[in-house]
Amino acid sequence: PLGRATLLVDDTPPTTALIIGSPKHVAVETFVTSATPFSLVATDGGPIPVGTAYIEYRVDGTPSWTSYASLFTLSGEGAHVVE
C-alpha cells in the first residue's frame, strides 16, 4: 500500500555574507593584511526556511571548496576573490 506524505519544497537558496575583520582600509576597494580575519555567515530565508547544513568557500577560483569551520585569513600580495 502507498503511504501519504506532506512534503515542503524550499526553493529559496541560502545567502552567505563575508564579514571582513580588522585591520582593513575601505575605499573604492577594500585593502586587508595577512592578519585580517574573515568569517562567513549563512542565512536561509524564504517562506519555509530549513536552515543550512554547512558553508563552503574557495579563494581565487581554486578547484576545490573548503568547509568553513572558523575564521580564516588570506596570504599573498595582490587581489583575491573569495567565493
Side-chain angles (χ1 to χ4, degrees):
L2 294 177
R4 180 180 168 165
T6 300
L7 304 173
L8 302 174
V9 177
D10 180 4
D11 282 337
T12 307
T15 58
T16 303
L18 175 66
I19 299 169
I20 305 171
S22 292
K24 68 181 170 197
H25 174 74
V26 179
V28 174
E29 295 179 327
T30 300
F31 295 87
V32 300
T33 72
S34 59
T36 302
F38 293 85
S39 61
L40 298 171
V41 176
T43 304
D44 188 19
I48 308 169
V50 295
T52 55
Y54 57 89
I55 302 173
E56 293 181 319
Y57 71 97
R58 67 180 177 177
V59 178
D60 297 332
T62 57
S64 60
W65 292 80
T66 301
S67 291
Y68 174 73
S70 63
L71 299 174
F72 62 94
T73 58
L74 300 175
S75 62
E77 194 78 23
H80 295 283
V81 175
V82 178
E83 299 178 84

